[in-house]
Amino acid sequence: MRESSTEQVARIDDSVNVTDGVLALAEHAPEHPVYAVRNGAGGWLDVTISAFLEQVRSVAKGLIGLGVQPGDRVAVMSATSYPWAVVDQAIWFAGAISVPIYETSSAHQVAPLLADSKARMVLIGDDQLRAKVQSGANMSGGKNSGTEIYPIASTADLEEIAANGNTVKDATLEKARSGAGADDVATLVYTSGTTGKPKGVRITHRNLAEGAANIVPFASDILGEGESRTLLFLPLAHVLARAVQLICLHRGIQVAHTGDTSTLLDDLGTFHPTWLLAVPRVFEKVYHSAAAKAESEGKGRIFNTACQTAIDFSKALESAAAGGRGPSLGLRAKHALFSRLVYSKLLDKLGGEVTHMVSGASPLNPEIGHFFTGIGVPVQEGYGLTESTAPITLNIPGATRVGTVGLPVPGNTVKIADDGEVLLKGPVVFAGYHNNEEATAEAFDEEGYFRSGDLGQLDEDGFLTITGRKKELIVTAGGKNVYPTPMEEKVRAHPLVAQVVVVGDEKPFVSALVTLDPESIRGWTQRNGLGDLTLSEALKDADAAKALEAEVQKAVDAANDEVSRAESIREFRILDTELTEDSGHLTPSMKLVRGKVIEDFADTIKEIYS
């Protein structure tokens, strides 16, 4: 199949913007809880839609009182939090355009965003960010040196902003709120720049609101109704988290926030979400941490058997859904046993009430997907980019194929070009790049499809599989095309492996750079009689280094079993470092900045091929 579409189920009027969905919910169910905030005693307080809306209006009036005009850009640089949710809507109520900035961004990264967007104001979630923002504003050639900065870390900060709107009339606010139409820009979201300079993606009110209106009925079994809750911990500067937050607000799903992942397990245990959104690395960490704990307690063999049972059970269920044979009686019996002994404990770690999880932002290893499905919490993998307002395809209950990223969300079309590139069209596809007509023209083909830059395939039923990035395709000296992503996923499935970068463009064979997970190393060296060693110590110890290399070789061999010899990884090097966001090698959504890795470790790559 070369093209897959799903019929659109909802359309919005040209006069509608994202704030209308908030008003509609408030009118329909004014006391419905839409957010939850910590109560200071380890619990949570409900925030009703009416209370939220009152706070949004007050802050919006404050922004207007501070001089914000319709069409102005207001930047937000903050960790994921409830105040972020308030100011996001308040900016729209004031008729302005929001510009999210990752709180982890450096001053050098902030500077071009402020310069390109011409943001007149920056709202910061932590006063420590002030110097970074001011430095970035000064770097932008004086264009933003007068940028106003206001904190939004607490309710008191929001009230301080709101106090500036005491003289702003309701009619003035309503005129600002209702001024933007469906096709006006709602937010400028800058791409992470894994392959070049970040570009400002113009996302319209239609992209957000019509996207939400179509995905809600499509994913209703995941989202749930009534008492549905989710804990949001992805950065709200990422379009996926913000799109999901808006979907929840329009649907009436209660959202709690945590910007500190060190408290995530405690927050899951007290808030008890019914579904979760995460990136693949989170699912990998949960899986590998559980495996490492079992090993340290001498239960590694039991856990491994339980894992394989879960994977086999998931695959059997998938086979049955496709008309094949389902789980055998023996497999059902083993699965029931491990449900009591192993799986229930893992589900308790997630808060005990999670029924579905959604994975996005980067590819999920199919084995990890089958594992979670097998223990009772299916991972519904989806696909999207900043330019598609995040989710444009999704696996849903009753229409799931692990290893694919699902079917198009209603109203959208996925097409595969002759060279394998994934092309996208629909109401969620962006309006173009800010101040960059040349890049906008290059981004669309003659039929109006967005060129995603990803390579993929559609099966006979329209499910999309992403095979890699077009710009990351490796062509060896022998002319063999190699897609690095599937190989990297397979190697990264090993619990000791953190990141993998497959290289070999114009080289005689394929090789890889591997980094290890520091959290897993210490327990592994202890269990294997090598001492209590850190990652650095283990790589310097001859016996430990040799044993680690053998472990990585097992992962490489498993990956090589699935490809031809010409595509196989012949050599690898373990790096004595981590690839992190701080080092510039990962984006905030945990995607590899491949060019940066290859540039910084050029000497290691050269040594491999010398």
Side-chain angles (χ1 to χ4, degrees):
M1 181 180 287
R2 305 295 296 182
E3 185 176 313
S4 178
S5 300
T6 304
E7 186 177 354
Q8 190 162 344
V9 295
R11 288 177 171 81
I12 64 171
D13 189 82
D14 290 348
S15 63
V16 168
N17 67 47
V18 293
T19 65
D20 289 300
V22 183
L23 296 176
L25 180 61
E27 184 176 352
H28 173 68
E31 298 308 309
H32 186 78
V34 287
Y35 288 104
V37 295
R38 290 180 179 82
N39 64 8
W44 301 84
L45 291 173
D46 289 342
V47 178
T48 66
I49 182 62
S50 294
F52 173 70
L53 184 54
E54 181 180 355
Q55 197 169 18
V56 165
R57 282 178 163 145
S58 295
V59 174
K61 284 184 176 181
L63 293 176
I64 293 172
L66 288 169
V68 172
Q69 298 290 320
D72 281 350
R73 269 77 70 188
V74 177
V76 184
M77 188 177 187
S78 171
T80 295
S81 63
Y82 173 71
W84 215 125
V86 173
V87 299
D88 206 22
Q89 285 292 327
I91 290 167
W92 289 325
F93 266 70
I97 297 168
S98 58
V99 183
I101 303 175
Y102 287 102
E103 63 159 343
T104 53
S105 297
S106 68
H108 287 278
Q109 292 170 315
V110 171
L113 272 60
L114 294 182
D116 188 64
S117 67
K118 293 184 172 58
R120 64 159 298 150
M121 180 185 295
V122 183
L123 306 177
I124 54 174
D126 184 332
D127 206 51
Q128 294 179 359
L129 298 174
R130 185 180 297 274
K132 207 187 292 189
V133 171
Q134 191 60 65
S135 178
N138 293 337
M139 285 179 195
S140 59
K143 298 175 184 176
N144 296 85
S145 57
T147 300
E148 299 171 48
I149 304 172
Y150 298 94
I152 56 164
S154 65
T155 300
D157 290 332
L158 295 178
E159 289 174 350
E160 192 168 327
I161 293 174
N164 294 280
N166 289 335
T167 61
V168 176
K169 298 184 181 301
D170 289 346
T172 302
L173 176 63
E174 178 57 20
K175 183 178 179 181
R177 183 204 69 79
S178 60
D183 296 313
D184 289 317
V185 176
T187 183
L188 279 179
V189 182
Y190 284 81
T191 58
S192 55
T194 60
T195 58
K197 181 182 176 182
K199 298 187 288 288
V201 178
R202 298 200 310 262
I203 293 176
T204 67
H205 288 273
R206 186 183 303 279
N207 293 150
L208 288 163
E210 200 159 277
N214 280 282
I215 203 169
V216 162
F218 184 66
S220 60
D221 289 340
I222 300 172
L223 300 174
E225 295 185 67
E227 299 298 315
S228 182
R229 301 176 301 281
T230 191
L231 180 66
L232 200 57
F233 51 90
L234 292 184
L236 278 170
H238 192 286
V239 69
L240 175 59
R242 282 179 78 213
V244 167
Q245 176 162 266
L246 187 69
I247 290 165
C248 290
L249 187 55
H250 283 199
R251 172 77 166 182
I253 295 166
Q254 189 173 27
V255 175
H257 302 87
T258 180
D260 182 1
T261 54
S262 67
T263 67
L264 181 56
L265 285 179
D266 290 338
D267 292 338
L268 289 170
T270 56
F271 186 63
H272 307 292
T274 57
W275 63 275
L276 289 172
L277 168 72
V279 295
R281 190 60 183 153
V282 172
F283 296 114
E284 291 169 2
K285 292 287 285 185
V286 171
Y287 174 81
H288 292 154
S289 296
K293 185 174 187 295
E295 286 283 353
S296 67
E297 295 174 350
K299 301 175 183 176
R301 183 174 295 181
I302 294 174
F303 185 83
N304 290 338
T305 304
C307 286
Q308 191 58 54
T309 299
I311 292 169
D312 292 344
F313 191 77
S314 172
K315 289 180 178 179
L317 290 178
E318 190 171 81
S319 173
R325 184 182 176 186
S328 66
L329 289 176
L331 180 56
R332 288 183 184 277
K334 286 174 65 178
H335 185 265
L337 174 65
F338 287 127
S339 290
R340 293 193 302 272
L341 298 179
V342 180
Y343 308 153
S344 59
K345 296 177 182 177
L346 290 173
L347 297 179
D348 286 343
K349 293 283 187 184
L350 298 173
E353 296 184 30
V354 172
T355 59
H356 292 89
M357 299 192 289
V358 178
S359 177
S362 59
L364 176 71
N365 185 296
E367 294 293 285
I368 300 290
H370 278 300
F371 166 75
F372 280 103
T373 299
I375 71 171
V377 279
V379 178
Q380 313 292 161
E381 189 174 5
Y383 165 74
L385 307 93
T386 304
E387 289 88 346
S388 68
T389 323
I392 193 166
T393 70
L394 182 65
N395 280 287
I396 57 173
T400 295
R401 290 189 183 168
V402 177
T404 77
V405 292
L407 298 166
V409 171
N412 297 285
T413 299
V414 175
K415 185 177 177 182
I416 306 299
D418 291 341
D419 63 356
E421 184 174 11
V422 177
L423 307 176
L424 308 171
K425 182 186 279 189
V428 299
V429 176
F430 77 131
Y433 296 112
H434 183 61
N435 291 335
N436 200 333
E437 292 183 10
E438 183 180 352
T440 299
E442 291 175 356
F444 292 89
D445 71 5
E446 60 280 0
E447 295 181 28
Y449 281 87
F450 170 63
R451 308 177 197 267
S452 71
D454 288 316
L455 297 168
Q457 301 169 343
L458 290 168
D459 68 14
E460 66 278 6
D461 295 314
F463 286 79
L464 176 65
T465 299
I466 300 298
T467 57
R469 287 288 292 171
K470 192 173 180 179
K471 290 182 179 180
E472 293 172 357
L473 175 66
I474 293 171
V475 183
T476 66
K480 184 65 179 177
N481 289 353
V482 178
Y483 300 109
T485 304
M487 299 281 284
E488 291 165 350
E489 287 176 28
K490 192 69 178 179
V491 176
R492 205 173 63 238
H494 193 288
L496 293 182
V497 175
Q499 296 294 341
V500 186
V501 182
V502 170
V503 297
D505 200 40
E506 299 182 357
K507 302 298 183 184
F509 57 86
V510 175
S511 62
L513 304 177
V514 179
T515 64
L516 304 180
D517 184 356
E519 296 178 19
S520 301
I521 293 298
R522 177 160 276 163
W524 183 85
T525 56
Q526 289 175 332
R527 292 192 300 273
N528 287 273
L530 296 165
D532 184 7
L533 304 177
T534 64
L535 172 58
S536 182
E537 290 169 343
L539 292 175
K540 292 174 183 176
D541 181 280
D543 291 338
K546 185 177 180 180
L548 284 171
E549 188 170 327
E551 283 295 311
V552 174
Q553 186 64 60
K554 291 178 186 177
V556 169
D557 290 343
N560 287 344
D561 284 344
E562 299 187 4
V563 296
S564 68
R565 176 161 174 75
E567 298 169 278
S568 65
I569 299 170
R570 307 284 183 85
E571 289 194 38
F572 63 85
R573 294 291 184 274
I574 299 175
L575 303 177
D576 184 10
T577 187
E578 292 182 69
L579 303 182
T580 65
E581 186 184 346
D582 289 340
S583 72
H585 298 125
L586 295 179
T587 70
S589 59
M590 305 301 287
K591 293 179 183 175
L592 275 169
V593 185
R594 192 176 300 272
K596 173 73 170 170
V597 176
I598 291 173
E599 177 185 343
D600 288 354
F601 297 97
D603 289 344
T604 304
I605 296 171
K606 183 178 180 181
E607 185 269 328
I608 291 174
Y609 293 104
S610 64

